[in-house]
């Protein structure tokens, strides 16, 4: 339990603090409600679960051996966040041309370009992975703990979006919200490039 508490605390902090996934969840909840955000929540969790498993069973050693790979992933992730920020800020408001919700598959695949998800997976594999145990069982345990802790945190962000939905019925408010969320994504992408 003394080893699980720091792991769970780390997972909580990484899952509950603002980042690309949580901005996407708040935006999805605000625009499409909880039902629209549920596939995104599940996709994020599946993507991070797979990412953590891969890091724990060996991909982490590849990234350590070839730091340029990690740098390229960080740049690609930041550029993709910039693209998402632009799409969000330019999104139409409350009309037939409004954007569609992010799908389950898109949320899963997004984790491959999400620098915060990579940081979480790399840290879990390098700091919390027990060295004296069955690698696959330990990787599975870490991944499950990450999911169990992350799911309610992601749900909270989606519900935050749902809670402000009535305020966003006014096109002006929705436009401001989309611009602010786009600006937050842009800021996060710039931070990841530093």
């Amino acid at each position: 339990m003394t080893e699980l508490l720091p792991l769970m605390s780390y997972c909580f902090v990484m899952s509950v603090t603002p980042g690309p996934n949580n901005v996407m969840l708040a935006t999805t909840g605000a625009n499409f409600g909880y039902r629209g955000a549920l596939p995104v929540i599940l996709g994020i969790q599946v993507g991070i679960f797979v990412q953590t498993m891969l890091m724990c069973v060996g991909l982490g050693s590849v990234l350590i051996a070839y730091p340029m790979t990690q740098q390229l992933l960080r740049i690609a992730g930041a550029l993709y966040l910039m693209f998402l920020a632009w799409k969000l800020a330019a999104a139409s408001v409350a009309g037939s041309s409004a954007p569609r919700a992010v799908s389950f598959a898109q949320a899963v695949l997004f984790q491959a370009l999400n620098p915060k998800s990579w940081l979480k997976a790399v840290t879990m594999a390098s700091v919390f992975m027990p060295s004296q145990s069955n690698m696959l069982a330990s990787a599975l345990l870490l991944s499950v703990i990450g999911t169990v802790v992350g799911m309610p945190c992601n749900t909270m962000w989606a519900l935050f979006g749902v809670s402000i939905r009535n305020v966003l019925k006014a096109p002006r408010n929705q436009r401001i919200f989309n611009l602010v969320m786009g600006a937050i994504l842009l800021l996060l992408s710039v931070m990841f490039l530093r």
Side-chain angles (χ1 to χ4, degrees):
M1 190 54 152
T2 58
E3 293 176 17
L4 285 180
L5 191 57
L7 169 63
M8 292 172 73
S9 299
Y10 175 75
C11 289
F12 176 77
V13 168
M14 289 299 286
S15 299
V16 81
T17 54
N21 285 332
N22 292 333
V23 171
M24 182 170 53
L25 284 166
T27 304
T28 304
N31 289 309
F32 304 101
Y34 184 72
R35 283 183 120 167
L38 191 56
V40 182
I41 294 169
L42 297 174
I44 288 169
Q45 290 308 312
V46 168
I48 292 175
F49 182 92
V50 169
Q51 200 172 34
T52 304
M53 284 291 294
L54 290 173
M55 293 306 293
C56 289
V57 296
L59 185 57
S61 59
V62 171
L63 292 177
I64 291 169
Y66 302 99
M68 182 58 89
T69 306
Q70 197 170 3
Q71 180 75 358
L72 289 173
L73 282 170
R74 191 166 54 87
I75 292 169
L79 291 174
Y80 187 67
L81 286 177
M82 287 178 187
F83 170 75
L84 288 178
W86 173 74
K87 293 288 279 180
L88 183 57
S92 301
V93 292
S96 59
S97 61
R100 289 182 296 179
V102 174
S103 71
F104 171 82
Q106 289 170 323
V108 171
L109 294 173
F110 178 64
Q111 302 321 300
L113 294 176
N114 183 347
K116 189 175 176 187
S117 294
W118 279 106
L119 176 63
K120 180 180 177 185
V122 168
T123 303
M124 287 176 72
S126 60
V127 174
F128 297 105
M129 182 76 171
S131 58
Q132 305 293 329
S133 62
N134 179 306
M135 183 187 342
L136 196 54
S138 296
L140 183 61
L141 177 65
L142 288 176
S143 300
V144 167
I145 289 171
T147 300
V148 167
V149 173
M151 183 78 110
C153 295
N154 288 161
T155 299
M156 180 193 74
W157 277 92
L159 291 174
F160 163 71
V162 171
S163 73
I164 62 172
R165 207 166 176 199
N166 284 335
V167 174
L168 300 180
K169 284 185 179 176
R172 180 176 182 270
N173 293 349
Q174 186 179 9
R175 181 75 184 133
I176 291 169
F177 177 76
N178 286 348
L179 286 170
V180 168
M181 296 309 261
I184 291 171
L185 276 181
L186 183 61
L187 179 64
L188 287 170
S189 68
V190 170
M191 289 172 59
F192 287 132
L193 285 175
R194 292 175 40 180

